[in-house]
Amino acid sequence: MSHSHEEKRSSGDATEVVKTVTYRVRRYIPEQDTQPRWQDFAVPVTRGMTVLDGLGYIKENLDSTLAWRSSCRMAVCGSCAMFINGLPRLACETQILDLKTDVLEIAPLPNTENVRDLVPDLSRLFEKHKRTKPWLIRSDQEELDQPTAEYAQSPEELESYMQFSYCMKCACCMAACPTLATDPEFLGPQPLTQAYRFTADPRDGGFAERRDAVANADGVWKCHFAGACSEVCPKGVDPAFGNQLLKRELVFRYLKLRKDRPTSPLLAPPEGVERNPKIPEAPEPTVE
Ligand code: SF4
Ligand code: SF4
Ligand code: FES
């Protein structure tokens, strides 16, 4: 047998329907439903097909009213998180055949209000995230607004917070957190980890401004380190670890074992580098 034939056999035909699964989808259309209901759809599955692809099949062929949120289709934007067979996951990253089941039960993310069908209301998450001031806080505001050069940071300093900066605000961790399930006022893993991400950044000097948001009665001390958040994070952020580092930072600073460090200095602007006129100016910010 030729090599190309072997390859075809092992990789399979991407268009061949290998089985049909049942999508059991939790529906809620506020104009017509007084409460959520379940609806089944038969979805033919091909190799490599994702849960998001299956939702697209339903919308195109079976019921155009089905609603969900998605954008990038490549596990980057974080918008397609939903509760798939008992776990918060990205629909675009989850392959149907990997679930090894004939029934997919799909619901909107837990610990969120439901806007419609599989669309969660994430405004609570964004509000909590904003409370922790997830941006660089420095005294040289003018430089932050109109940068002339870059702030110094070593590769080791970058490494100390980089994994936490991968967060794409998908809310999977918030949906998995048992503390948040029983106490909606708890800040939750995503905002707390982002508070640590900026606190650990050598360019930032905003710990004192951030402390009140994370060290209060609804803050990081409510996290009991069960780690459900880290189990489901699709980006390997490990928010449970971030929360523990934040606790350590609070204790060290409270006991004065760690001093406020100066924010990293501005590097001299690079010499001989001119702006490429072909690169367009950055657009005006669309949010405050
Ligand atoms: S480790 Fe903390 S934030 Fe993460 S799921 Fe557990 S209680 Fe929630
Ligand atoms: S920490 Fe992970 S699970 Fe939580 S919002 Fe960020 S990317 Fe999603
Ligand atoms: S569509 Fe962007 S993460 Fe799934």
Side-chain angles (χ1 to χ4, degrees):
M1 187 182 289
S2 75
H3 182 64
S4 60
H5 279 152
E6 280 171 17
E7 262 182 6
K8 189 165 185 206
R9 177 172 288 186
S10 61
S11 61
D13 179 352
T15 60
E16 181 195 351
V17 174
V18 290
K19 69 171 175 175
T20 298
V21 298
T22 300
Y23 266 53
R24 184 157 297 152
V25 182
R26 208 179 76 161
R27 305 294 310 269
Y28 173 63
I29 301 175
E31 303 85 47
Q32 69 181 53
D33 296 325
T34 51
Q35 57 185 18
R37 60 191 159 87
W38 292 94
Q39 186 173 3
D40 286 0
F41 301 96
V43 176
V45 179
T46 54
R47 286 182 212 286
M49 190 167 154
T50 65
V51 173
L52 184 61
D53 293 333
L55 292 173
Y57 174 86
I58 294 171
K59 195 164 181 80
E60 278 174 30
N61 300 286
L62 305 175
D63 187 341
S64 63
T65 67
L66 182 62
W68 69 88
R69 196 186 281 129
S70 64
S71 180
C72 71
R73 304 172 69 94
M74 54 175 76
V76 170
C77 73
S79 61
C80 69
M82 49 190 78
F83 204 52
I84 302 168
N85 283 14
L87 280 179
R89 315 178 206 239
L90 299 179
C92 72
E93 191 187 42
T94 307
Q95 295 206 4
I96 298 170
L97 294 179
D98 286 349
L99 293 173
K100 299 190 181 354
T101 177
D102 293 333
V103 180
L104 275 69
E105 203 170 274
I106 308 177
L109 285 180
N111 301 344
T112 60
E113 296 293 319
N114 185 203
V115 176
R116 184 185 197 91
D117 290 342
L118 302 173
V119 182
D121 181 355
L122 297 183
S123 50
R124 195 86 206 277
L125 162 66
F126 297 143
E127 183 274 317
K128 288 177 174 177
H129 186 212
K130 195 172 172 186
R131 245 191 267 168
T132 66
K133 305 194 178 191
W135 51 79
L136 291 182
I137 299 173
R138 298 176 57 100
S139 53
D140 52 354
Q141 188 61 43
E142 208 173 305
E143 177 64 27
L144 281 172
D145 291 342
Q146 295 290 335
T148 60
E150 54 179 307
Y151 296 118
Q153 66 178 327
S154 67
E156 293 74 26
E157 288 170 332
L158 173 62
E159 190 67 33
S160 71
Y161 68 84
M162 194 160 74
Q163 86 178 65
F164 306 116
S165 71
Y166 293 149
C167 174
M168 56 180 173
K169 298 195 278 296
C170 66
C172 283
C173 57
M174 303 290 271
C177 176
T179 308
L180 208 47
T182 54
D183 182 356
E185 297 306 316
F186 173 46
L187 220 45
Q190 192 280 342
L192 288 167
T193 298
Q194 292 315 298
Y196 181 73
R197 174 254 174 273
F198 283 94
T199 297
D201 191 318
R203 301 165 300 174
D204 180 83
F207 179 76
E209 283 191 44
R210 229 169 260 126
R211 179 172 38 208
D212 287 350
V214 299
N216 63 28
D218 296 318
V220 72
W221 301 111
K222 275 189 176 167
C223 166
H224 51 61
F225 197 26
C229 51
S230 297
E231 293 281 324
V232 300
C233 175
K235 302 306 272 187
V237 170
D238 197 353
F241 182 46
N243 288 357
Q244 305 322 301
L245 293 176
L246 182 60
K247 287 177 186 171
R248 186 182 68 172
E249 193 71 21
L250 287 165
V251 170
F252 278 9
R253 302 248 188 169
Y254 180 75
L255 296 176
K256 302 202 184 327
L257 295 173
R258 180 144 32 235
K259 290 188 184 144
D260 282 344
R261 49 169 161 61
T263 49
S264 60
L266 198 62
L267 292 170
E271 282 178 23
V273 178
E274 287 182 13
R275 188 182 161 73
N276 182 343
K278 289 186 184 157
I279 299 176
E281 291 289 337
E284 287 297 311
T286 54
V287 292
E288 281 179 22

